[in-house]
Amino acid sequence: MLPDLLSYAARVLPGLLLIGACFAVAREPMVRIMALIFGFVLIRDAMTPLGFWRFGAAGPVPWLRFTDQAGILVVFGVGTLALTWFVLRLDGDLRALVRWGRLGPAAVALGVGGGLLAAGPVLLLSQFTPLFERGGAVAAGLLPVLLFFCLAGNLAEEVLFRGFLQGHLERGGDAGRAALLSASLFAACHVFLASTVTGVGWPLLAFTLVEGLICAYLRLRRGVLAATLAHGSAIFLLSAGLTV
């Protein structure tokens, strides 16, 4: 595990240092937000060449699997939580943009329902393809760690896109347009992952656009925590090797 993590760190560190310098110099909130998003995209997409996750498509249906090394998933989950906490503590102006919402029963139900709405059609369509052709089975003992990783990693992503970005865009006064823009930019930030880092193509972009629209709507109505539940549960459902 350690050699893999060191190799990963060597890949991302130069880019993160450059992005960090841009963040430190920038004064405009949107520039700082975009710098953070670029950093997240680098951290995420660099997982691919080292096999920390795998993508594919069975026809028009995308599939996703993460590494079966539980330690790596825990390190990434804890690391993204720590980075999210650090950024929130570091920049009070950006922190003020995040509308967390209350995670009551209704918000939890809507969040999990949003995840099912995003992942459900993919899971249903994938039943026409044998499991071994869409990533294979996932060990039952790995599922709790995988769930933690999905929720922790996608909390960071939701803070960026639905907290900082959507919150900043809402200051223009049109909340609906802000939600649409955050969803569209979220999908656009998967372009290189879909077309160059992997060969999945448009199925991945279509899924991320639908997922982004669901999360943006939930952020608008219930806050970032509900959107995180939707995002995290959707990715968990897709990556857990479940059948329906």
Side-chain angles (χ1 to χ4, degrees):
M1 181 181 81
L2 184 58
D4 289 337
L5 291 173
L6 291 175
S7 178
Y8 173 83
R11 284 175 178 264
V12 301
L13 185 58
L16 290 180
L17 289 174
L18 179 59
I19 290 168
C22 294
F23 179 87
V25 171
R27 292 294 177 263
E28 299 81 359
M30 182 58 79
V31 176
R32 297 203 303 274
I33 292 168
M34 294 310 299
L36 291 172
I37 289 175
F38 289 153
F40 181 84
V41 169
L42 170 62
I43 289 170
R44 182 196 68 198
D45 289 3
M47 293 170 60
T48 311
L50 292 175
F52 292 161
W53 63 354
R54 295 177 293 125
F55 288 90
V61 184
W63 59 262
L64 166 66
R65 291 293 184 274
F66 290 100
T67 177
D68 59 2
Q69 297 186 63
I72 288 179
L73 295 178
V74 170
V75 168
F76 271 99
V78 172
T80 52
L81 288 177
L83 282 173
T84 303
W85 176 86
F86 177 74
V87 170
L88 289 167
R89 295 290 297 174
L90 179 68
D91 195 319
D93 291 337
L94 294 185
R95 184 171 67 247
L97 296 172
V98 182
R99 183 162 67 82
W100 293 101
R102 300 182 65 179
L103 204 57
V108 170
L110 286 171
V112 174
L116 288 169
L117 183 62
V122 176
L123 292 175
L124 287 171
L125 290 171
S126 69
Q127 301 311 299
F128 297 101
T129 303
L131 184 60
F132 72 88
E133 292 185 13
R134 46 187 173 90
V138 177
L142 188 66
L143 294 180
V145 175
L146 182 61
L147 179 60
F148 163 72
F149 169 80
C150 290
L151 291 173
N154 289 299
L155 171 64
E157 201 163 4
E158 287 305 305
V159 166
L160 289 174
F161 283 95
R162 254 59 71 175
F164 297 159
L165 181 61
Q166 190 167 333
H168 179 72
L169 293 171
E170 279 183 351
R171 289 186 169 179
D174 189 335
R177 183 176 181 181
L180 180 60
L181 277 171
S182 80
S184 301
L185 287 169
F186 169 75
C189 284
H190 290 77
V191 165
F192 291 107
L193 182 65
S195 61
T196 61
V197 181
T198 73
V200 178
W202 72 264
L204 178 58
L205 295 180
F207 170 76
T208 54
L209 179 58
V210 171
E211 182 186 43
L213 289 168
I214 291 170
C215 291
Y217 176 80
L218 286 172
R219 153 59 182 81
L220 186 62
R221 298 300 181 189
R222 290 288 179 169
V224 167
L225 292 177
T228 298
L229 272 180
H231 196 163
S233 60
I235 298 303
F236 173 75
L237 290 170
L238 289 185
S239 61
L242 302 178
T243 58
V244 296

